[in-house]
Each structure stands twice: as structure tokens, then as C-alpha cells.
Amino acid sequence: MDRDRDYHNSHGGAGGGGYDGGHRRMVGRRPVTDYGSTMVQWMRHRRPRYKGGFILEAERPSASYVVDMLPPAARLDKAVDTIPAKHIHQSWNKNRHPINIVRWTPEGRRCLTGSSSGEFTLWNGIAFNFETIMQAHDSAIRAAAYSHSEDWLISADQDGVVKYWQPNFNNVKAIQAHSDPIRDIAFSPNDAKFITACDDATLKIFDFAAGTEESTLTGHNWDAKSVDWHPTKGLIVSGSKDHQVKLWDPRTGRCLTSLHGHKNTVARTAFEPTRGQLLATCARDQTARVFDLRMMRDVCLLRGHEKDISTLTWHPFHASLLTTGGSDGSIFHYLLDEPNSPPDVIPSMPAYDHPDPSNAPAQTIYPAHRIQFAHEFAVWSLSWHPLGHILASGSNDRATHFWTRPRPGDTKYASDEWHVGKAAAEAQGTWDRRGARRSMREEEEQELEDEVEGLVDQKMPAKQPILPGLPGLTATHNITRDGTSTGGAQTRQQSQFPGMPGFPAGLAPPNGIANMDPSEFAALMAEGKLPVPPPFGGPGQGIPPPPPNFDFSKLPPGMLPPGFQLPPGFPPMPPPNINGPGLQAIVNDGGGANSVRRRAPLPSQQESLMMEQRQGKYRIARRVFFHKCLSTVPDLRQFLLLWSNDKPSEVKRENVKEWLCWALLNKNYFGEDEDKELEEYVSEIEGVMGKKFSPGYGRATSLRLTLDGFTPLHRPLLYYIFGVGGLDTVAHVYLLSHSCQFYRLALRNFFTSFPFRPLTLFTKHQSPAKHLSYYYRPHSSPSRLPVVFIHGIGVGINTYIQLMKEFNDASDAESEDGTIGFMALEIMPISFRVTHAFQERQEMCDEILQILQYHSWTRFVLMSQSYGTIISTHMLHDPRIAPRIGPMIHLDPVTWLLHLPEVAYNFTRRIPREANEHQLYYFACTDIGVAHTLARHFFWAENILWKEEIGNQKMTVFLGAKDIVVNTEAVGNYLTREDGILAIDDHRDSQTWKTQKWSGEGIDVVWLPECDHGEVVDHKEYRKQVLDVTMQYCSARE
């Protein structure tokens, strides 16, 4: 039951009662929740189930039924009565940070939150006031879980460290479980083991008592984001960034099955805790799903969220109540036995009522209650009170909110600022902006006062002063209170010699100073004429005697003077080439006159990168990258409109920050540090535009390729067999008849690509790469360079067979010293096939390098078209392949100025109108392989190519004036401008560079006035220009 408790002193004045007997600041009424009366009501009237259970009448929507309220455990069949629709309190720390974890303590008296600063904060479970705070981790806390026995808490952080905590928050152990961030953690049913999910794509099972790793579960292809252990069974579930939900056997480490219900990163997986028959998952595809473990299929599809779902939680008693939190700050409550379909939607049938439950479609469930404005930013964590009457939520807005069920007859909650928004609530008169600010200020002052009072008894004991030069030996002579700190916790040393404040009193300085009068010493200090102390070891001189059994080997070399003799019985000094703790290691090889002293190995590259990231050096690189992109935008207004896909009035400040967070950080959400950085970028954009963005969010939906959903279209079977398969067969026969050899994949991979390629079974050549097949013409000319060709989106090599045939003819015509080799790589995921996913950049470069080494090609001309220019950019950035690359040819390139929105917009958002646009949309944009490649593997910041990266290499870029994909005008202006900057006020004559003749030096741009995207290889006159440039580059062997 929620109540309002008055904390101010009703008598006023000093000594008139209250808490402290003195005057206390007047504070507003603090909402509290007291479950005592409901528990007493239930205990008085409950009956055993075999006698019929509870017999009181149901609650009615009237204030008179407040006295009959019961806890959730009393009404197991009335989950709707437990929905926490009423906001009670919001809590902040003095130093605010995003709240990543919210957990109730097992007894329910406190709520624990973990923040991105690594701090644990405890809030009172009834009045929600601050109780204590502690620095639990050195980095952001990412996961925490209480044991089923309620005796232990384990937490994990960004650095991969797991810590053990007792109920009194005494840290007893810390282990380095992973080297990457740990995203989730869970206990086994008997608490003997726990499991972690990490960004390194692995799950690890640890023995809790020993703190040692027992097994590693591998199978996810990307970051593991969530894990849970079944409450009663030996069953583990995990969710990953690879869109898969996997079930594991913890005994054998074997993956039992994979569930493919989601189309984006799986953010949370959780078993239902009471019966254990259901599994809930949520993902960034705006949906959550409920799987029945008995049928191993999804039985409920939860819809309603307009943005990504970031977390979910089950109710501790009601198996049908599921709560989700969204990236837009919303909290939705679902009742799995009530579809709650909108009026214009026909309710779907439950799978259990279907004649064939195993094959029935999942029932669509809509929220039973929506709290649309629960938080300002993404909800990261949800946690139910053990009694099930309060829900706590933690968010990226740095606040912890508490929610409970409304009292009978209370209907005002439905029109508060949390349900309808602050603007609508203010218009309705249910929220006052000025009063809310005053109330918030009072709550902040109360929280600050509670924090100060809570920390009075938590002062750490003062560190004892240490004698200089002797670690571990404390000075205790003449120590007095400083008097400058609260409670006199600090101490300072008193010195009888002016000018030597750090020298402890009671210890004699070196001879010549000890017997000196202090005033004489002060005069000598002023004149700079102090007597030189005698060397150590003289009679009656030296440092005080060390404590018994003092280990001099702990001292670093050089600490003691030369010739110093150890007293009898002391451990020997370390050799000169052995370093003390904390010093840089020096390794001596061999010894003697020819020995080489070298440094120990430096930290690994990964450790160095992490160190640089902690020092903020990535931010400097991002700033440089941002300025480079901003300076090459020809029309900033059009730039923002295409990336946001809406009217200018709907593009507001938070929309721009949301897009920049994806574009520069490759994230969906941003924290406090990132928010400051993004604000700086937005301010710079406003400065260039000359206008300010409106605050808040507009209706604009930012175009974020790797986060947005994608919808490929169905292709009939005949399309694959006779269309793709037929054209592929024609190309295969044609190229084999023109002096080309085909290097197929291993025979075991024959069925990994559809339509199948039966003619490839008859070739004797096998590719050294796992995923890349290719057509190859041997190279025998010692004076000319071979050619490596990478195609774009289309039916594989079929589009380019005429170009390859004409190249072979031109090569044969100039074959004085041998033929010019030609290699055409096949990229299957963008070749209109059902096959494996597009390879990551490093894997692709590894396989290309294997092929080049297999044929001993140390130098070649690199030609690529459309999407193939992305792969050629990766090769240029790879230090192993870049030295092999000679002159380059780009046909319809998409890699230049990739930060401009045309490529992404034209492939994913543009509504086709012209015939060529419809052709591009159907055959390319909606193909399953192409759509998946663009939506999940098109990281523009990795794919972009800048002019200065080419250096002095020769390159020719062919651009079509009628290109419907690329902004060729902007690319041409950028490549031909000497300083490489495409300013908004660039008024140069654009016809100058379009009519320039090919020079063969530096970067040449060939402008094709009547050419559309991809037509450069369709027309003979364009192919001739390409072949002429290619033959010139092949002859210019360096």
C-alpha cells in the first residue's frame, strides 16, 4: 500500500519533539509503500487451498476497498491487480551516472543499484531514501545476481572482473573472468556454480567456491549479451548480437538448440521463475518473444514498442505477467493470457488452442498497460520486489524509479506526466512545471542530506604516515590532530625543525643537525649553508635500525648506498638485474661482456588500445574524423534530411544526437561522457548551419543501417533455379571457353550455396580459401602486372564476362613476353544467392591474402566495381595486402564520401518511381543476402576511403552522371579539388574536371555523361575506356 509520510517537525521550534529534538528543515511529503497491512489482512483471512483458499470478495474500484488490499501472493489468479501503474519515487545520487543494474536485496528491505561509475548505491525499500554508497568496481558495473540461498552477491564490470560480496557488502574475492566486458551473470540452482556472458562471444561456467573456470561455451558468432540459468534444471539460455538464442547443457557444454525468432541483437533472456516452463527473450527488433520449452517454439509475440526493447523481467509470483523496458524510456506490462489487441486488429488464437500447436503461429500480445514516459532515456534494468508489489527501474537518464499498483479508486495516475508526457499533463492540469521543479529540488536536497547522514559512520580510518625509505614502517611519534576535517579523521606530523615539515619528530636528523639549535638551523636554511651530512655507516650515524626480520630484498636497487653491509641474519639483497616490485623490468641475456640488456615485452596491442581508450585518445580521433566529414558535406540541410528521412521541423536536437551516436560511436545508446561529446558535435553543426535545433525528440526516424530492421522480399524457386542458376551456368561455360580456370570451394561446401552449381564439380582446381571461389587466368608476363577484380552487387560474375573476354583478347594481342593474369573473386552473399553471411573485414582480407600467396602475386592492379570498392578499401587498409596493390581502378565506387546519405538512403529508404529504381529495389535492395549485408555488415566508418589514403598511387575513378545510387557530383568535386575539401560554398566551374583528359598520374576522374550505376560494363564504348586504362596500368610495372 502506498502512503504519504510527513517528515517535518509538526511542533516546530527547537526542542519540541521530532527526530533530533532540534529544528529540522521543512520537507515535502515523501511517498512510501508499506506492505504490512496487506500482509496482515492476508494472514488473518487466508485458508488452505484444500478448503477453498481465500474467500473474501474481489477488490472493486472504490476507495473503501483500500483496507481489503492483498499482496500479490494472495491472488495468484489475478495478475492484473498487480500491474505497477503508479509512480512512487525517483532517486538520484549526488554525482549522477547511468544506472545499469537494479536489484532488490533478498529480504526486500533495500534496493541495490549499480552505475556506470562502478558504484553500488543502497536505497531504502519503504521510504526510498538514500542509505549508503560505495565504490564497488573500477569500471562500469554491467551485471549482478544474488544467490538462491540469499547469502552471496556477485557482480561483474566492464573490465571483465567478477567480485564476490557478502550480504553486508564485504568484498571477499575478485577474479578476472574475461578480458572483455561481461554483460550478464547468473547462479546455478544450487549456487555451486555461476555463468557469465561476455563481449568476446563466449559463456564461461565457474566454480563458485574455488573461483575457477570449469568450462567455456562457444557457438555464438558475436557478442554474448545475456545469459540465464534455469531455476530448477541443468539448462542455460543465452542471447547474442548474432540474433540467436541458444540453449546449452551445462554438464557437457553442448549447444542443445538455437532459436531464430529475432532479427536483431538479443538484449535479454530470462526463464520464468515460478513454473520454469516458459522462456522470454527481447531484442532490438522492437519485439519480445515467449518460448514454451516443452514445444521448443515461440508461443507469444509481444508487440507495441516503437523502439528497441532493452530489458525485460518476470513477476516473481504471476507467470503470466511480463514487463519490458524500451530504449525510448517506456515500460510496458504484458498479460500473456490476454491479447489486448487494438480495435483494428483481429485477435490471434493461442497456440495451445490450435489443432496443431507445434505448427501454429505465435499469438500476438499487446500491452495491458503502457507507461510511455517512464524514463527519459533507455531503460537498462528492471527488478521486482521479492513480495511482487514494487517494481524498480534503472535507466540511462541516471535515475532509479519505483512503481507500485494504484490503490482501489485511484484513477489520476493515468493522466500523470509518466503516462501522457509532461507537455500533455501540463495542458490537462495534472502536472505543474514550476511545482515539479520545486518538488524535485526539495527531493534532491533531501537525498543529499540523507547521503551526508548515511556517510557519517562510513569514514575510512586515516592512513598512518610512513617513514621515508622504509615501506610498511609507520611513524607514531608526536602525531596530532589536524583539526581541518570532519570528525578529526586526518592527522599530521609535527617537526621541530623549520623547513623540514615532512621529517617526523622524535627521529634524529643526520649528525651536525641533530645537536643544532632550531633558530640557528633556520638561519642556515635561509642562507643555503646547511652542513653536508656524513656518509652512512659511520660510527653513531645512519638511519634508525630496521624492524626484526625486515626483508631488504623488497627494496628496489639503488635504495641503499654502495658498500652497505646487511646485519647478520637478514635476507640477501637481490642481484642488480632483478627489479623490485612496480619497477620496469630489464632482462639480461646471457651475462658477460657480450650480454644484451633489453626491456621486457610491452603490453599486447589489445591492452594498449584499452589503455588509449581509457585516456580518451579515441575521442580525439573521432573529433578529427567528424571535422573531416563535416567539411566534405556539400549541402548540410539535405544531408540531415536524408539521414533522418523526415521534414526539417521534425529533426530536433535529440534526433541528431541519436544519429551521431550510431554514426560515430556505433552504439544505440549513449552515456554521460558520450552525451557531452555529442553535444559538442551538435553545437558545431548548428554553427555551420547558422540555426539552433529545437530541444527534445521529433518524429524523425534516423537512418541507422546496422541497427534498423530490414525486410527482404520472397523469391520464387524458379527465380533461383532458372534465373540465378541459369545465368551462372552460362557465365561458367563462357569463361572456361576463354582461357579461364575456375577454383571451386571444397566439396564439403557444395550445399552451402543455393542454387547449387553442379558444373563446378568437374573442375580439378580448389580454392585455398574457405568462402571465396574465383575465376583465374594464369600470369606469365614478367614485365606487366596481373589484375585482381572484385565485382559488385548482382548475379556474380555474369555481368562482367564480356569485360573479362575483351581483356583476355587485348592481353593476347600484346603477348610478347607472356600473358597478363586475371583473377575475378566471387562474393556470394551479394550475388543473389542463399548462402553464408557476408564475411567480416578481417576474415575477408585473410582469405584474399591466402589466394594471393597461393599464386605468388606480389604486385597487381586492383579493379573493383560498386560494392566491390568497399572490399578494395579493406585491402588497402590491411598492412599485409596494401604493399601488393599497384594502380587501382574504381567503377561506380560507393566507398568515397560514404558519410553522405545517398548510398544508404537509395538502397534502404527510397521509394522507387522510375524503372531503373524499381529494378534496383527488387533485384538488389530486397534480396536476402544483399539486405542482410547492408543492414548488418555495412559499417560506414570502416568502409569509407579518403583521398589522402591513396598517397602517390595511380588511380582512375569512373563516375556516371546519371548514377541513381551515388552522389557522383560530390565525389568528383572532392577527388579533383587540390585540398580535398568540398566546402558548401564551392562555386568552381564543375565542367572543368568533367572534361579533363586522362593523365595516368595521381587520381584521374573519368566522367561518363550518359551512364547510370552499373552501366559502365554494359556499353562497349565505356568498356573500351576501362580496358585502355587497365592495359596502361598493367604495363607500368613498378
Side-chain angles (χ1 to χ4, degrees), residues 81 466 560 637 1009:
D81 291 343
I466 307 298
L560 298 178
R637 181 178 178 276

mmCIF file of all heavy atoms in Angstrom, residues 81 466 560 637 1009:
data_model
loop_
_atom_site.group_PDB
_atom_site.id
_atom_site.type_symbol
_atom_site.label_atom_id
_atom_site.label_comp_id
_atom_site.label_asym_id
_atom_site.label_seq_id
_atom_site.Cartn_x
_atom_site.Cartn_y
_atom_site.Cartn_z
ATOM 1 N N ASP A 81 -4.310 -7.277 -11.055
ATOM 2 C CA ASP A 81 -4.324 -6.442 -9.859
ATOM 3 C C ASP A 81 -2.922 -6.034 -9.415
ATOM 4 O O ASP A 81 -2.788 -5.191 -8.522
ATOM 5 C CB ASP A 81 -5.025 -7.181 -8.707
ATOM 6 C CG ASP A 81 -6.516 -7.332 -8.953
ATOM 7 O OD1 ASP A 81 -7.031 -6.597 -9.818
ATOM 8 O OD2 ASP A 81 -7.154 -8.181 -8.309
ATOM 9 N N ILE A 466 54.086 7.146 6.793
ATOM 10 C CA ILE A 466 55.118 6.152 6.504
ATOM 11 C C ILE A 466 56.486 6.807 6.585
ATOM 12 O O ILE A 466 56.691 7.919 6.122
ATOM 13 C CB ILE A 466 54.903 5.554 5.105
ATOM 14 C CG1 ILE A 466 53.466 5.024 4.971
ATOM 15 C CG2 ILE A 466 55.906 4.462 4.823
ATOM 16 C CD1 ILE A 466 53.132 3.927 5.924
ATOM 17 N N LEU A 560 69.740 1.583 -1.171
ATOM 18 C CA LEU A 560 70.777 1.640 -0.147
ATOM 19 C C LEU A 560 72.093 2.066 -0.781
ATOM 20 O O LEU A 560 72.349 1.793 -1.954
ATOM 21 C CB LEU A 560 70.924 0.269 0.530
ATOM 22 C CG LEU A 560 69.673 -0.229 1.280
ATOM 23 C CD1 LEU A 560 69.924 -1.598 1.862
ATOM 24 C CD2 LEU A 560 69.280 0.757 2.379
ATOM 25 N N ARG A 637 21.845 20.806 -44.991
ATOM 26 C CA ARG A 637 20.400 20.641 -44.772
ATOM 27 C C ARG A 637 19.899 19.365 -45.439
ATOM 28 O O ARG A 637 19.180 18.566 -44.828
ATOM 29 C CB ARG A 637 19.653 21.850 -45.319
ATOM 30 C CG ARG A 637 18.141 21.801 -45.114
ATOM 31 C CD ARG A 637 17.480 23.069 -45.643
ATOM 32 N NE ARG A 637 16.049 23.003 -45.498
ATOM 33 C CZ ARG A 637 15.229 22.414 -46.371
ATOM 34 N NH1 ARG A 637 15.741 21.850 -47.458
ATOM 35 N NH2 ARG A 637 13.924 22.394 -46.171
ATOM 36 N N PRO A 1009 28.906 10.909 -69.208
ATOM 37 C CA PRO A 1009 27.702 11.751 -69.155
ATOM 38 C C PRO A 1009 26.392 10.979 -69.216
ATOM 39 O O PRO A 1009 25.397 11.412 -68.635
ATOM 40 C CB PRO A 1009 27.859 12.681 -70.375
ATOM 41 C CG PRO A 1009 29.302 12.618 -70.732
ATOM 42 C CD PRO A 1009 29.761 11.241 -70.358
#
